Structures are given as structure tokens and as C-alpha cells.
Amino acid sequence: MASSSLPPSVPSQTAAAARFARIPSSVSLKSTSSSFKIPHGQQQQGQLENLHLVSLSKQGKLKEARDFLKQMDEAGVLVNPHSYESLLEACGKMASLSDGKLIHRRLGNPSRYLENCVLKMYCACESFRDAEKLFDEMLEKDVASWGILISGYSEKGRLKEAFRLCTRMIELGIGLNSTVFTNLLKSLSDPSVLEIGKQLHTLVIRTGLSTNVSVITAISNMYVKCRQLQRAKLVFDQMVETNAVAWTGLMMGYTRAGKQKDALALFIRMLKEGVEMDQFVFSITLKACSGLEYLNLGRQIHGYIVKLGLESDVSVGTPVVDLYIKCSCFDSARRAFKRISEPNDASWSAIITGYCQIGEFEKSLQIFRSLRLKDMAMNSFIYTSITQACSALADYNMGAQAHADAIKRGLVSYVHGESAMITFYSKCGRLDYANQAFESIDEPDTVAWTAIICGHAYHGNASEALKLFRRMQSSTARPNEVTFIGVLTACSHSGLVTEAELYLESMSREYGVDPTIDHYCCMVDAYARAGLFQEAYELVTNMPFEPDAMSWKCLLGGCWIHRNLELGEIAAENLLQLDPDDTAGYILMFNLYGSHGKWDEAARVRSVMGARKLKKELSCSWITVKGKVHRFVVGDKHHPRNDDIYRKLKELNGSVTDVESVHLTEEDVSFGLPERKQLLMEHSERLAVAFGLISVPNNVPIVIFKNLRACKHCHDFAKHVSMVTGRRITIRDSCRFHHFHLGKCSCDDYW
């Protein structure tokens, strides 16, 4: 075994090793114990050999280091203290207890410094039994020895053992130094240990360390973590000397407590006092600006960051991107993102969220696929955003893959991720999977309950939605505004008017949730769908809000269903005054006039649309078969199986040719009446249904998605097809799901 006693030449060896430590470890990246040979009988200083050993340890190549140690022993080359220190540090970092013990045995009778290195290694490996044994056997313990063991316990949250050692130190008359205090204070990160923190603060004052910058900074940060911001500010203000850590600690506390203005006030104070700023200061300040949506101040800070040349730093660049996204300035966010030299998972998450916010869901999925191909680091926020993108696109295959990938990586967010999965499966027509995702949550929060209630509401399962709401009432979760939107929608889509009235009245009285105009619109919709026009009109004109466009649109929709022309004209007039570019309002009035034979008035409505150059979003229906999405527009003739589709469509249309009363729909608004009669037979969802019938196996439901509301003719067509073919057909339009089977729809024609 190589001796650990130090020869006279050790000081020069140590100095050389210190110089070698500054050489990058890459010098031996391709060198192993087999390629680096030591001549037998070499009795030189061994500087190069120790350099190689240090390099191996820095690279974490412990096996190669063990082999090389044997060669050094055989050649009689001494291992210097710096090499042992590097080896022990590597063992601690890699939690390699067996290698650490091997090095310990080699040391024989080590110096106190190396004993402390061994002690630190045992603590890093969480082998506190070995650490305590070594500590008790040490003949000459110094304050550093005590500090290492105390820090080891405190860093692992074992406060009882840490304070037991502190008590022993005090009893033995050994003074606690700044390092011990700092490490103990860092471990106090929860309000439950506030009293211990206060006692340590008192002890710091008694020991005369209240002017020590690192200790007093740790005290201030301890109060921040224990949510005692007033105490933290008091300690901070009494500091004789401050550093960036103290400033950022208090700013972070304010930001986390929702006191962003106080954090920004500290930042401005830093500027006035000329405090040197680092990346963390800018990061926290930008987060405060994001929380308050202070775009102008954020831009000024961004300009200062650019001036300092820090915008390429990921810790600063990412909050800049997040600020612009929160303030709906996506072009600025995109430019800031491109300047980040090495984006991390938080950077990618921010830009993906931005693309989702502006509706570029395909772009967000494109980035996600690229990240997966490159095996880049991910986080739970990325998966939540991707799930939301797949919900919007109804991309079941991609969403299911992302869900599986998130589970595999352990990155399903328990705050929003599980709720996003519920919404995703609901919007993709897989309410069975949505139920499974919900029931797998041990204690669903308000967001999860709301997601599953809304899912059932939009699938037309009012009874199940209301049953879930009653279950929620028995849980610890409290309903919010969105929950009641789901409940009222369920009632509205199923004709449960009395129930809707009761829920609206109970919102503020029983749950402390003040109804908004959106809740009143749901109630207007419920009345109008049920043909209760007096109640609907009175609610619109007497509700505690000024009626908005949606209020009148809900009323107009009911008038179209029940052919109430007189009230429909009033509703349309008010709607188009508030939103003269609302195409749906014109379409509803055209159809309402047409249903009463008032074709001159209908022509005037269409003329106004033409004069205003109003064009509705192009209608599109799509269906996924064998992982591939097939999209159709009205009169589409570009599909590879075009002939087969139209052959099947002709066969189906032959039995539903009642188009005597053709109403203007969102798909054929630009065409004349003869053209509309022809195009009615070629609406996008009819093409998708025909393709589904020739492509999807008989035992699998046909699931179709449409970006606009389905028209009555296509709704009747789907019912007829389900009856004559016996197939289950599900169509999700812009408002809800329709499940067709044996000639009936789940909405009971109440839509």
C-alpha cells in the first residue's frame, strides 16, 4: 500500500497539483489505465501520474482510477493529497460508497484535512453510521470537522441529529462558526421550523456573528422560506453590508407571495444604490414583471440586459421570453428565444406555450417532435401544453403518445397535467378514457372536477355531469366559475331548465361564486332552447350586466330553432349592433327569414354580408384512420379515394333527398340556391362519414371532427346513416359531441 506520510518534496508537489487542477480534465478523455503506462521502478515525483489520476476522478471514471492506482503502487509512485481529495470528492458526487471506503483504507494515518475529506464523502453518500464512526475516532477534530457532519445532516433534512451535534459543540465550549450557522439556516425551509430559526437567530446575535454577511443573509433567506417576509425585510434593512444573494432572496420571497410590486421596488432600489446585478436578479425581476404584465418596464429591463450582453444566457433569456408571452407579444418572444445560446427545458416550454396561445398548435407539436428526436430534456409543463394542443386539434394519436411518454418519464403534472389529460380525452371523443384518467386521481382538485364535468356536459351526458357535480359537493374541492359553466351547459343542452335556474341561484348563496355574464348567457340559452322566450328576453334585458353579443346570439339561436321571427329580429338587431361582423348572426337571420318565406328580407341579409365582405372560416371535417388524418371541405374532390367516397355518398344520399327546404349554412354561405342544393349533398362531414364507412372496420365507431357547427341536414343525414348501416358515428362540432346510433342522436335533437 502506498504510504500517506508526506515526503519533504510534498509542498512543491501540492503546488504543482494545484496548477494541474486548472488544466481541463479533457486531457485524458481518451486515456485509460491501459493506455497510460508507468515504467517499472520509476521513483520520480509522479506529477504527471497524479495529474492523470485527478483527471480520471473529475470525469467520474472510478473504475479506471482504481486500475491506475494499482499501477502507481506497482511502480512505487506516491499518490499526493490533492489526488486523494479529488478521488474522495468524485466518490461523494457519484454516491459510490464502496470506492470511497477503498480510498479510506488506503490512507492509513491521514492528515486531519484528508480525514475531513473522508468525512465529507461519507455524508455525501448518506452513510452517516460510517461518518459518525470516523468522527468519534478522530483524535484531532477541528471546527471544520463538526461543520461537515452538521452540514451533512442538515442538508438531508435530519435536523434532530444536526442540532444534537450543535448542542455537543456548545457543551464542549467549541464556538459555532459562520459555516455551521449558514448550513443550519439553509436547511430551515418550512414554516414548521420557524421557532428553531428564531432560536438560531438569537444564538447568532449572542455569538457576535450578526454582522457576518453570509450568516445574516442566510437568516433573511430563512425568514423568506418560512413566509415571514416582514421579519426578513427587517433583517435585510439592518444589514451593514448586503450582497446579491440577500437582495435576490428577498425579491424571490415577494414574488412567490404574489407581492411583485415589492420585488420591483427592491430592484429599483438596487439600481439607485448601484448594487452589482447578476443573472438571478434579472430573472426574478422579469418574473415579477410577467406576473403584473408590466410590458413597458419589462422592455426597459430587457434593453438593459442586452446592453450588458446577457440576453444569450438561458437564465435571463427564458424569463424574457416568458414575459413577452404573458403580455401577448409573441413576435418579441420569438426573437428573444432565438437569441438564447443554449435553450433548456424551461425555454422550450415557454415558446411552446406561446405557440399554443396564438393558436399555432401544429407548430408546438412540430417543436415537441423535434425535442423528442433529439432526446432533449423535458418538463411537465411541456407535456401539459402539448396535451392542450392535441385537445384543440383533436389529435388523439399524438396526444395518446405524449401521455404515454409523460408517464414513462414521470412528467405528468399533478397540478394541471392530469386535468389536461381529462380534457384531451373528452375532446377526442374518448369519454371512457377521460373517466379513467379522472378516477385515477386520489384527490381531484377543482380543475380536475371541472374538466370531467365539462367533458360530460359537452358530450350531452347531463345526468352524469350533474351526478359528478353532486360528488364534488361531497369532496373537499370547491366549484369555481368554470365549474358552473359546465353545469349550466349540461342543463341547457338537455332541456333541464328548472335545474339550471336552481344552480344559477345557488352560486353566490351556497358557494360564494358570483355569477358572471357568461353564466347568465347559459341561462338565456337554456330558456331559448326550451322555447321560453318571455323568460329569456326578460333575463337578457334585466340581468345585472349590460347584454353582450353572446346574450343576444343565444336568444337568436333559440328563435331560429322555434321559428320566432318577431323576437329573432330584435335579437339580431341588437347582436349586429354590438358585433356587425358576426357571420353567424347573419346566417341565422337568413334562415329565419327563409323559413317564413320572406326571401326578399333574406336576400337583403345576404347583400349586407356581401357589402361587408364577410367570409366565414372555411368549414372542415376530419377523421383519423390508421394514424393518418384525412381532411375534407365542402365539395372536396382531392382525396386519393375520391371515386369510392362519392360512390358511397351517392348511395347514401339516394335515401335522404329531402332538400326542398334548404337553409343557408356556414359551409355554403357564398353560393346561390341551386348550388346550395347540390353542395348540401357534399358537405364536409358527409364526405368524412362516407370515407369512414369504407375505411373503418365495422366493429369500430366512426369518429369525425368539425370546426363549425353541424347543420340540421347533416345531423339528419348522420342519424339516417347510423340507422341503415347499424354503425356508431360520433361527430364533434364546434359546440358539442353528437353520438349517433340506430337512427338516434345523444342530443335528442335538442341542440
Side-chain angles (χ1 to χ4, degrees):
M1 179 181 292
S3 172
S4 62
S5 58
L6 303 179
S9 59
V10 162
S12 63
Q13 281 185 320
T14 306
R19 290 195 300 274
F20 293 148
R22 291 195 288 270
I23 300 174
S25 59
S26 58
V27 296
S28 66
L29 279 174
K30 296 183 180 179
S31 300
T32 63
S33 57
S34 60
S35 62
F36 193 101
K37 298 293 184 180
I38 302 171
H40 284 285
Q42 182 177 341
Q43 297 293 331
Q44 297 178 2
Q45 297 286 330
Q47 292 178 347
L48 189 58
E49 291 80 5
N50 276 281
L51 170 63
H52 185 64
L53 194 58
V54 168
S55 183
L56 288 173
S57 63
K58 284 186 176 181
Q59 295 174 64
K61 295 182 176 181
L62 294 178
K63 182 182 181 301
E64 290 90 336
R66 285 197 309 270
D67 294 340
F68 193 65
L69 276 170
K70 290 177 184 177
Q71 286 192 46
M72 290 178 71
D73 290 344
E74 291 169 2
V77 179
L78 295 176
V79 180
N80 67 33
H82 179 67
S83 297
Y84 278 125
E85 180 187 359
S86 295
L87 286 166
L88 289 165
E89 185 180 346
C91 293
K93 283 182 179 178
M94 299 180 70
S96 181
L97 182 60
S98 58
D99 285 310
K101 285 185 173 182
L102 177 68
I103 303 299
H104 185 193
R105 287 194 297 270
R106 285 183 58 92
L107 291 174
N109 184 28
S111 65
R112 184 169 59 189
Y113 178 75
L114 282 180
E115 277 190 311
N116 283 341
C117 289
V118 176
L119 188 63
K120 192 180 293 183
M121 178 273 297
Y122 282 133
C123 290
C125 292
E126 296 188 51
S127 181
F128 289 105
R129 181 178 297 177
D130 290 312
E132 288 271 7
K133 183 175 182 294
L134 173 61
F135 183 77
D136 291 338
E137 291 172 352
M138 290 174 69
L139 298 176
E140 294 183 23
K141 303 182 188 72
D142 57 9
V143 177
S145 310
W146 289 89
I148 289 167
L149 192 53
I150 290 170
S151 299
Y153 277 126
S154 61
E155 285 173 7
K156 302 302 178 184
R158 298 175 64 166
L159 298 181
K160 186 177 179 181
E161 291 92 336
F163 282 99
R164 171 178 57 79
L165 285 168
C166 284
T167 305
R168 276 181 63 190
M169 283 186 76
I170 295 168
E171 289 172 350
L172 293 170
I174 304 171
L176 275 67
N177 64 9
S178 59
T179 305
V180 172
F181 275 119
T182 302
N183 286 319
L184 283 171
L185 288 161
K186 283 180 180 177
S187 68
L188 305 178
S189 57
D190 187 88
S192 63
V193 292
L194 175 62
E195 289 305 315
I196 297 174
K198 288 180 180 178
Q199 292 174 38
L200 274 178
H201 188 183
T202 303
L203 195 56
V204 165
I205 295 170
R206 286 179 182 172
T207 52
L209 288 171
S210 57
T211 56
N212 184 287
V213 178
S214 62
V215 174
I216 208 68
T217 298
I219 289 172
S220 177
N221 288 342
M222 178 271 296
Y223 282 127
V224 167
K225 287 183 280 188
C226 291
R227 301 173 195 167
Q228 297 288 312
L229 292 177
Q230 281 187 313
R231 289 179 183 272
K233 180 68 163 52
L234 185 63
V235 171
F236 178 83
D237 288 338
Q238 291 174 349
M239 291 176 70
V240 178
E241 181 186 348
T242 57
N243 57 18
V245 177
W247 288 93
T248 53
L250 189 55
M251 288 173 70
M252 189 177 294
Y254 281 134
T255 304
R256 287 177 177 171
K259 297 183 176 182
Q260 288 92 346
K261 290 183 180 179
D262 291 324
L264 293 177
L266 275 178
F267 174 72
I268 292 168
R269 186 174 149 190
M270 288 181 78
L271 287 172
K272 290 179 178 177
E273 295 183 15
V275 179
E276 186 176 349
M277 299 185 188
D278 58 15
Q279 294 95 321
F280 299 107
V281 172
F282 289 117
S283 175
I284 295 164
T285 306
L286 288 164
K287 286 176 183 175
C289 290
S290 296
L292 296 168
E293 295 185 11
Y294 278 7
L295 178 60
N296 289 335
L297 179 58
R299 283 192 189 280
Q300 292 176 48
I301 295 169
H302 184 196
Y304 190 37
I305 289 166
V306 172
K307 185 178 178 182
L308 294 175
L310 292 173
E311 65 174 338
S312 63
D313 189 296
V314 68
S315 62
V316 178
T318 300
V320 170
V321 174
D322 189 58
L323 165 75
Y324 287 127
I325 287 170
K326 294 270 176 61
C327 295
S328 302
C329 295
F330 187 70
D331 286 339
S332 297
R334 188 156 35 194
R335 286 193 295 271
F337 178 82
K338 287 179 180 178
R339 294 189 182 104
I340 300 174
S341 57
E342 295 182 8
N344 60 13
D345 59 316
S347 315
W348 288 111
S349 176
I351 201 69
I352 286 171
T353 300
Y355 277 114
C356 288
Q357 282 183 3
I358 63 172
E360 291 191 27
F361 301 111
E362 292 283 5
K363 181 64 177 177
S364 67
L365 294 184
Q366 181 183 333
I367 293 173
F368 176 69
R369 292 188 189 99
S370 174
L371 293 176
R372 285 184 68 191
L373 284 172
K374 295 175 183 176
D375 199 25
M376 300 282 283
M378 303 273 200
N379 61 33
S380 60
F381 299 107
I382 290 176
Y383 282 100
T384 299
S385 294
I386 291 304
T387 303
Q388 291 167 348
C390 292
S391 296
L393 296 171
D395 190 338
Y396 175 76
N397 289 329
M398 187 66 201
Q401 289 177 38
H403 186 190
D405 200 39
I407 292 171
K408 181 180 176 181
R409 294 174 183 242
L411 292 175
V412 178
S413 168
Y414 293 104
V415 180
H416 300 298
E418 291 175 326
S419 301
M421 291 299 174
I422 295 168
T423 302
F424 160 69
Y425 284 120
S426 297
K427 287 191 173 183
C428 288
R430 295 308 304 261
L431 204 50
D432 52 342
Y433 286 170
N435 285 327
Q436 287 180 30
F438 175 76
E439 297 298 344
S440 69
I441 304 173
D442 292 331
E443 293 185 15
D445 60 4
T446 299
V447 179
W449 281 106
T450 300
I452 194 65
I453 288 169
C454 289
H456 281 280
Y458 289 109
H459 275 264
N461 299 341
S463 60
E464 186 62 28
L466 299 182
K467 187 191 297 183
L468 283 162
F469 182 69
R470 287 190 289 272
R471 276 181 61 190
M472 182 183 185
Q473 291 173 296
S474 303
S475 73
T476 56
R478 299 286 294 172
N480 61 17
E481 294 179 1
V482 185
T483 312
F484 280 103
I485 292 290
V487 169
L488 292 170
T489 299
C491 295
S492 172
H493 284 190
S494 301
L496 304 176
V497 177
T498 303
E499 289 83 348
E501 290 175 329
L502 292 173
Y503 284 121
L504 183 64
E505 291 169 4
S506 68
M507 282 180 62
S508 57
R509 185 181 68 249
E510 294 184 25
Y511 304 100
V513 179
D514 293 327
T516 66
I517 193 167
D518 295 324
H519 299 100
Y520 280 96
C521 285
C522 288
M523 194 67 237
V524 171
D525 189 54
Y527 282 137
R529 285 173 185 269
L532 301 172
F533 292 112
Q534 183 176 346
E535 291 85 345
Y537 184 71
E538 287 179 358
L539 185 59
V540 171
T541 53
N542 296 321
M543 63 182 176
F545 301 97
E546 193 68 30
D548 63 0
M550 183 57 69
S551 312
W552 293 110
K553 190 186 291 188
C554 291
L555 182 57
L556 178 57
C559 292
W560 156 238
I561 293 169
H562 297 282
R563 308 299 191 265
N564 188 327
L565 179 60
E566 183 180 354
L567 187 56
E569 288 180 319
I570 296 171
E573 182 182 356
N574 284 279
L575 166 61
L576 297 175
Q577 278 182 357
L578 292 169
D579 188 358
D581 295 332
D582 188 323
T583 311
Y586 294 101
I587 292 170
L588 287 169
M589 275 314 297
F590 181 97
N591 287 333
L592 194 51
Y593 280 129
S595 67
H596 285 79
K598 294 181 175 290
W599 294 108
D600 290 340
E601 289 83 348
R604 279 197 293 272
V605 170
R606 186 173 172 189
S607 176
V608 172
M609 287 184 70
R612 290 187 176 276
K613 298 181 179 179
L614 295 179
K615 290 184 179 180
K616 192 65 178 178
E617 177 186 359
L618 179 66
S619 174
C620 176
S621 297
W622 63 96
I623 179 173
T624 302
V625 178
K626 295 181 180 179
K628 184 178 179 182
V629 178
H630 300 261
R631 291 182 173 84
F632 300 91
V633 295
V634 59
D636 203 326
K637 299 279 198 309
H638 297 94
H639 195 276
R641 298 193 64 185
N642 183 69
D643 292 343
D644 295 333
I645 292 170
Y646 274 89
R647 192 176 300 112
K648 175 58 74 172
L649 194 59
K650 184 177 181 181
E651 173 189 326
L652 295 168
N653 283 339
S655 54
V656 280
T657 55
D658 180 19
V659 290
E660 293 303 315
S661 176
V662 178
H663 302 296
L664 182 63
T665 71
E666 294 169 338
E667 292 200 53
D668 42 36
V669 62
S670 340
F671 301 97
L673 188 60
E675 295 166 292
R676 288 201 302 276
K677 286 185 177 182
Q678 175 58 37
L679 289 172
L680 178 61
M681 312 302 288
E682 301 173 4
H683 273 189
S684 61
E685 62 261 57
R686 292 194 183 209
L687 296 172
V689 167
F691 177 69
L693 289 170
I694 63 175
S695 305
V696 178
N698 289 332
N699 60 339
V700 177
I702 296 170
V703 182
I704 294 165
F705 300 89
K706 185 179 179 182
N707 62 334
L708 303 177
R709 183 182 293 199
C711 71
K712 181 182 183 300
H713 299 289
C714 291
H715 188 267
D716 291 342
F717 173 79
K719 286 198 298 181
H720 175 78
V721 171
S722 73
M723 181 175 65
V724 298
T725 64
R727 300 290 297 271
R728 291 184 180 272
I729 302 171
T730 296
I731 298 178
R732 191 196 89 177
D733 66 11
S734 61
C735 297
R736 62 172 293 160
F737 275 90
H738 299 269
H739 299 276
F740 301 93
H741 185 52
L742 299 178
K744 293 184 179 180
C745 179
S746 58
C747 70
D748 289 328
D749 295 336
Y750 201 85
W751 60 289

